[in-house]
Amino acid sequence: MRRAVCPGSFDPVTKGHIDIFERASAMFDELIVSVFYNPGKDKAMFSMDERVEMLKIATSHIQNIRVTSFSGLLNEFCVQEKAPFIVRGLRAFTDFEYEFQRALLIKKMDNNLETVFIMTNSHYSFVSSSGVRELATFGAKLTNLVPECIEERVREYVRQKAD
């Protein structure tokens, strides 16, 4: 069984993420989408459990996806899940530089892991979770940026934060 892990903070999940998941799921028997705790991003909009829940809803149309969460080293999670592939989406050259360095570091830690880079669809090359959070904070439309099934959750978070 060809199994891959697609890690990220997904705070919140965007249509760009969904595009990568859909395309990666065609390449592997099972795609494990995992919300990773990132200590560098302590000001998350949603808890890890909320992000897992939203990812499960947003990816329910993709048959071979399993959504989970993890706090620790990616290479250890991949070994635990028996997933020798890591999927990373790339929007721009700056993403490539960062992800390339990470892929080399993971390869140094575990030579059995391979990183697969998937270029984003040009429709989503400008979409990022941080951009969505900023737009939501100022009340901008999120149409075509996040899955419709979670758009109201993002707006509700912003309303509660304002109160």
Side-chain angles (χ1 to χ4, degrees):
M1 174 178 276
R2 295 175 62 90
R3 184 176 291 140
V5 171
C6 187
S9 56
F10 310 116
D11 187 39
V13 61
T14 69
K15 284 198 172 185
H17 294 132
I18 300 299
D19 175 60
I20 296 296
F21 302 157
E22 289 170 345
R23 292 164 51 210
S25 71
M27 299 167 66
F28 299 98
D29 299 313
E30 182 180 31
L31 181 65
I32 304 166
V33 175
S34 189
V35 177
F36 266 69
Y37 170 69
N38 184 340
K41 296 183 178 182
D42 281 338
K43 297 184 181 192
M45 181 177 267
F46 297 102
S47 71
M48 286 180 72
D49 288 341
E50 289 172 315
R51 286 179 267 163
V52 166
E53 178 189 344
M54 288 187 286
L55 277 163
K56 285 180 179 179
I57 294 166
T59 61
S60 63
H61 66 288
I62 307 171
Q63 300 301 318
N64 61 333
I65 280 190
R66 179 165 46 100
V67 179
T68 188
S69 64
F70 189 76
S71 179
L73 293 174
L74 176 57
N75 62 306
E76 292 174 359
F77 179 73
C78 290
V79 169
Q80 172 187 307
E81 294 293 330
K82 296 180 176 71
F85 301 99
I86 300 166
V87 173
R88 301 298 295 175
L90 301 175
R91 291 171 299 189
F93 187 72
T94 52
D95 285 349
F96 175 77
E97 284 184 302
Y98 175 76
E99 295 297 344
F100 181 70
Q101 287 178 347
R102 286 183 61 174
L104 291 176
L105 181 60
I106 288 171
K107 192 72 168 163
K108 179 74 173 168
M109 292 172 19
D110 188 334
N111 197 43
N112 296 313
L113 295 176
E114 296 293 341
T115 301
V116 177
F117 297 116
I118 300 178
M119 296 301 301
T120 189
N121 182 310
S122 62
H123 295 346
Y124 307 115
S125 62
F126 61 91
V127 179
S128 67
S129 293
S130 59
V132 166
R133 288 192 306 270
E134 184 176 345
L135 290 169
T137 300
F138 291 103
K141 291 183 178 183
L142 302 179
T143 308
N144 295 319
L145 300 179
V146 298
E148 290 176 23
C149 59
I150 68 145
E151 185 173 352
E152 186 52 36
R153 295 270 307 258
V154 175
R155 295 213 179 285
E156 181 60 30
Y157 174 87
V158 172
R159 279 193 292 274
Q160 288 178 1
K161 189 88 169 160
D163 292 341

